[in-house]
Amino acid sequence: MLKKSVVIKRKKMNISNANFKNLIFFSLFFSGLIIGVLTIKSQESTLNNLLTDFFNSYIKECKNEGFLGCFFDALFIFSLTPFLTFVSGLSAVGLPIIIATPAIMGALTGMATGFLFFNFSLQGLCYSALIVVPAVSIVIATLIKCCSEAIIMSIDIITCIGGYQNNLKQNIIKEYCLRFLVLFVPIIISALLNVICFKLFGNLFSFV
């Protein structure tokens, strides 16, 4: 009975720690989101021109390419931050990068949605709601989970190097890679969703 209660307490502590980490990562993302929107709102011409060029080339490619071409473009873009997190988790010095990644993702999302709204007003807002937000929401949720996994791995490596534990647990790197392989599935889904939404709703907007 005592053992069962101890196990339950440990599980509750693990859930609480996981929720706390997720909350921290989401807060970092939200902070980055606000910074990204405010950066665009300041109307810095150089950044605005860069985003205009990128957006126009992306729209042109999506219109000219087939479904698979658009899918792989979206998959590449959506995979960047989770891949950065994965690599950082395998390093003892990757901890600051893991912590910064949600804020970077937030800033990029804020700049993208802010650019669409400030340049195309209501149409830009609708484009974000119909095409950008559904796919990006999946990426953000997946990225937060990636950060939780990566930070545990990075801390394990730090404690091993610091001599706090003799060596890493058996198969820990293999398990880490397998967890990220599973987490790659939602990224694939988000890329598919992005392309489907673009093909369905893209023609509703005058700037597409």
Side-chain angles (χ1 to χ4, degrees):
M1 190 73 181
L2 182 62
K3 283 183 180 179
K4 195 178 282 186
S5 64
V6 169
V7 169
I8 291 166
K9 281 181 181 179
R10 280 181 181 173
K11 283 183 179 178
K12 284 181 179 178
M13 283 177 68
N14 288 336
I15 291 165
S16 298
N17 288 337
N19 289 339
F20 180 71
K21 276 188 291 185
N22 291 342
L23 183 63
I24 293 294
F25 288 131
F26 181 77
S27 300
L28 288 166
F29 166 79
F30 191 72
S31 301
L33 187 74
I34 293 168
I35 292 165
V37 172
L38 292 175
T39 303
I40 291 298
K41 195 178 180 182
S42 66
Q43 294 293 327
E44 190 177 333
S45 59
T46 307
L47 181 59
N48 198 60
N49 290 338
L50 282 170
L51 286 171
T52 302
D53 291 341
F54 175 80
F55 182 71
N56 288 338
S57 64
Y58 179 75
I59 292 294
K60 189 178 177 181
E61 280 182 20
C62 283
K63 286 178 77 175
N64 294 335
E65 287 183 343
F67 186 91
L68 275 177
C70 293
F71 166 72
F72 284 116
D73 285 344
L75 186 63
F76 175 74
I77 292 166
F78 293 158
S79 299
L80 287 174
T81 46
F83 180 73
L84 177 64
T85 308
F86 168 74
V87 174
S88 300
L90 293 169
S91 170
V93 295
L95 208 57
I97 299 169
I98 297 164
I99 294 165
T101 305
I104 294 166
M105 182 64 185
L108 293 172
T109 306
M111 283 191 285
T113 52
F115 166 80
L116 287 165
F117 177 71
F118 293 124
N119 284 274
F120 306 110
S121 59
L122 186 60
Q123 277 204 47
L125 189 65
C126 291
Y127 182 93
S128 295
L130 290 172
I131 297 171
V132 178
V133 172
V136 170
S137 298
I138 298 171
V139 177
I140 292 157
T142 307
L143 178 63
I144 288 171
K145 180 62 180 171
C146 287
C147 289
S148 296
E149 294 291 345
I151 205 165
I152 293 166
M153 186 67 192
S154 187
I155 289 169
D156 279 345
I157 291 169
I158 290 167
T159 54
C160 184
I161 292 169
Y164 296 103
Q165 61 182 48
N166 293 331
N167 47 34
L168 291 173
K169 294 173 188 175
Q170 194 176 7
N171 295 328
I172 191 169
I173 294 174
K174 182 183 175 182
E175 288 171 9
Y176 176 76
C177 293
L178 285 172
R179 283 195 292 270
F180 264 83
L181 195 62
V182 171
L183 287 168
F184 189 63
V185 175
I187 301 297
I188 295 170
I189 293 167
S190 67
L192 279 170
L193 182 62
N194 181 254
V195 179
I196 291 166
C197 289
F198 181 84
K199 296 295 183 184
L200 286 174
F201 306 118
N203 290 331
L204 298 174
F205 304 97
S206 59
F207 53 84
V208 173

